[in-house]
Amino acid sequence: MDDVSKQIIEQLQQDGRRSYAAIGKAVGLSEAAIRQRVQRLVDAGVMQIVAVTDPMQVGLFRQAMIGIKASGDLEKVADRLAELDEVAYAVICAGSFDVICEVVTEDDDHLLEVLSKRIRAVEGVETTETLIYLKLVKQSYQWGTR
């Protein structure tokens, strides 16, 4: 990825609705060139352009991180977990847990249903530890391209 692509990403991280013309002006390219570069970055999976919501404002009042100890093929376990609509984030990791998932649910009853009937039902899931969020202090997507 070249420096211009990094600058484009940084422009979009500051404001995902910034126009291609404004980005072009900031990085020294035409609007058409920016449109093509953005499309290539999206197609290559380098970035996504999405609206990030406040879960509470859209009726999702319970968030939790779930640490999972698993057996067998960890990629298959993680892939199955990632298929669940409530799972916003899933990673295979080293340390105390094999997989960590962030879940976003409507309330505690919904969290209990997801945890006990769906996550624990995934083949290979052995144990779970649920860390319920009390207050979201920071959530940032502006780490740049370094």
Side-chain angles (χ1 to χ4, degrees):
M1 183 167 43
D2 65 9
D3 287 339
V4 174
S5 292
K6 290 179 182 180
Q7 290 174 24
I8 292 168
I9 291 169
E10 289 168 359
Q11 290 284 313
L12 288 167
Q13 284 181 320
Q14 291 168 13
D15 179 358
R17 298 183 319 158
R18 187 165 287 158
S19 72
Y20 292 151
I23 295 169
K25 189 174 186 177
V27 303
L29 291 177
S30 71
E31 179 179 348
I34 297 298
R35 182 176 289 107
Q36 290 173 349
R37 280 180 173 256
V38 167
Q39 191 60 52
R40 281 197 306 262
L41 290 165
V42 170
D43 290 346
V46 172
M47 70 174 191
Q48 298 175 21
I49 300 173
V50 299
V52 178
T53 61
D54 175 349
M56 290 188 161
Q57 297 294 322
V58 294
L60 301 169
F61 296 101
R62 177 56 71 212
Q63 294 174 271
M65 190 68 67
I66 301 174
I68 299 162
K69 291 184 182 179
S71 62
D73 186 335
L74 294 180
E75 288 186 22
K76 285 183 182 177
V77 172
D79 287 344
R80 289 283 317 278
L81 293 166
E83 291 173 0
L84 302 175
D85 289 338
E86 294 84 358
V87 172
Y89 170 89
V91 294
I92 298 170
C93 55
S96 300
F97 300 106
D98 299 307
V99 179
I100 294 178
C101 292
E102 180 180 33
V103 296
V104 182
T105 61
E106 295 169 9
D107 53 29
D108 288 339
D109 288 337
H110 187 194
L111 174 60
L112 178 61
E113 185 269 326
V114 169
L115 182 61
S116 63
K117 294 189 171 119
R118 297 171 65 207
I119 290 176
R120 290 184 179 166
V122 170
E123 185 178 341
V125 170
E126 293 183 350
T127 63
T128 62
E129 183 174 336
T130 304
L131 306 162
I132 294 177
Y133 297 4
L134 298 176
K135 181 180 180 182
L136 181 61
V137 177
K138 179 180 181 180
Q139 183 172 15
S140 173
Y141 298 98
Q142 295 190 359
W143 50 79
T145 56
R146 296 188 178 106

